[in-house]
Amino acid sequence: MQAVATKLIDVTEANAERIARQWFADVRKNPKTPSYHNLSEDRAIPQAVDFYTKFRGVFAAKNPFEEARRVYTKYADESYRYGIPLHEAIYALTLMRRHIWLYAEFQALFISAVEQQQAVESLNRTILLFDYATYVITDRYQELMRGEVDKQLSALRALGMEDSFTGSKVGIMACLLVACGFLTYYYHAVMASGVIFTHLFYIPIVLAGVWWRKRGIGVAALLGLILIVSHLIFMKEVPLTDDLIRAIMFIVVSSVVALLAEGFSRIEVLYRTAPHAGASVET
């Protein structure tokens, strides 16, 4: 089998660019790989050429899985960076394997019955190596996606603050509530107006919903109560309708934020506890 395998590897390496171009022509029109349809030739073909030229090292390695991890992680990184979905990257990999054998058949590489039998054994070895590549690429994609999700969620985590900052949350909220109380007094008692300033109330309302979930609705209720009581004391001649609607909206917005924050927390828990690490692979 060694001679047949060497012949296959030699042909693959010597014609890496030609096979890569045939592969690229396939993925560029294949309905299962639409992300490759607009991918430039300068990006795709060097990726395939690199894949084919490193095939010998993986094929002959004493530990082919570790060698596959080293070599094919680059393919995963590039595909992810180019915006290729995982299922398309895997199917493109399958087509890479297929084009090795299509080219070998076209060149009538295996003529005798013995060579054909050995070619079957070589094919089994090739399939195993591509299975390793599939595992490595899938694992790498998961790692890259986890990193991207962590990056995107970091801002929300910063907004939510950790439990160790409970004292800071209370202090910040107390300052915001005092400021809201002062604004309410100033606009109602001094300016005799209820326009605009209540928009600022949504800052503590949203923060309370993010920090304390449903318990944060109490902050919205308190602000609504302050607004209505102040209106009744300082603006008796003005209808209460507008401020009453505002107070109700405080509760509605707070409830929505609390529900979203709880949903986010559940999703993050599921994400954190999901089994990311795969089992060891038999080589």
Side-chain angles (χ1 to χ4, degrees), residues 84-151:
I84 307 297
L86 176 58
H87 64 282
E88 292 186 38
I90 295 299
Y91 190 73
L93 180 72
T94 302
L95 292 177
M96 282 187 188
R97 180 182 66 193
R98 183 167 180 261
H99 278 278
I100 290 177
W101 288 97
L102 286 176
Y103 192 83
E105 288 180 1
F106 179 75
Q107 297 295 320
L109 199 61
F110 310 119
I111 300 174
S112 69
V114 173
E115 283 186 328
Q116 290 177 0
Q117 177 59 36
Q118 291 175 334
V120 171
E121 297 176 11
S122 182
L123 174 61
N124 290 335
R125 174 74 170 176
T126 303
I127 290 173
L128 176 63
L129 297 181
F130 273 81
D131 287 344
Y132 288 162
T134 300
Y135 179 92
V136 169
I137 292 166
T138 304
D139 185 58
R140 181 59 177 169
Y141 257 74
Q142 288 181 331
E143 183 180 338
L144 292 169
M145 287 187 287
R146 287 198 300 272
E148 189 170 311
V149 169
D150 284 338
K151 184 177 179 180

Side-chain angles (χ1 to χ4, degrees), residues 211-222:
W211 289 345
W212 298 308
R213 312 297 189 263
K214 291 180 180 178
R215 290 179 297 168
I217 297 175
V219 171
L222 176 60

Side-chain angles (χ1 to χ4, degrees), residues 11 51 126 243 280:
V11 169
F51 203 99
T126 303
D243 281 340
S280 60

Side-chain angles (χ1 to χ4, degrees), residues 18 22 24 35 75 83 98 147 149 172 179 216 228 232 257 272 279:
R18 183 175 298 178
Q22 292 176 354
F24 182 59
S35 298
Y75 173 83
R98 183 167 180 261
V149 169
I172 292 171
I228 291 172
L232 292 174
V257 172
R272 293 297 176 192

Side-chain angles (χ1 to χ4, degrees), residues 163-228:
D163 291 339
S164 57
F165 290 93
T166 300
S168 299
K169 293 177 185 178
V170 173
I172 292 171
M173 187 57 62
C175 292
L176 289 172
L177 290 176
V178 169
C180 289
F182 173 77
L183 284 173
T184 304
Y185 170 78
Y186 179 78
Y187 273 88
H188 281 177
V190 179
M191 302 292 293
S193 172
V195 180
I196 297 178
F197 81 95
T198 53
H199 295 340
L200 298 174
F201 284 23
Y202 289 105
I203 296 174
I205 287 171
V206 170
L207 287 177
V210 172
W211 289 345
W212 298 308
R213 312 297 189 263
K214 291 180 180 178
R215 290 179 297 168
I217 297 175
V219 171
L222 176 60
L223 288 172
L225 182 62
I226 291 173
L227 183 66
I228 291 172

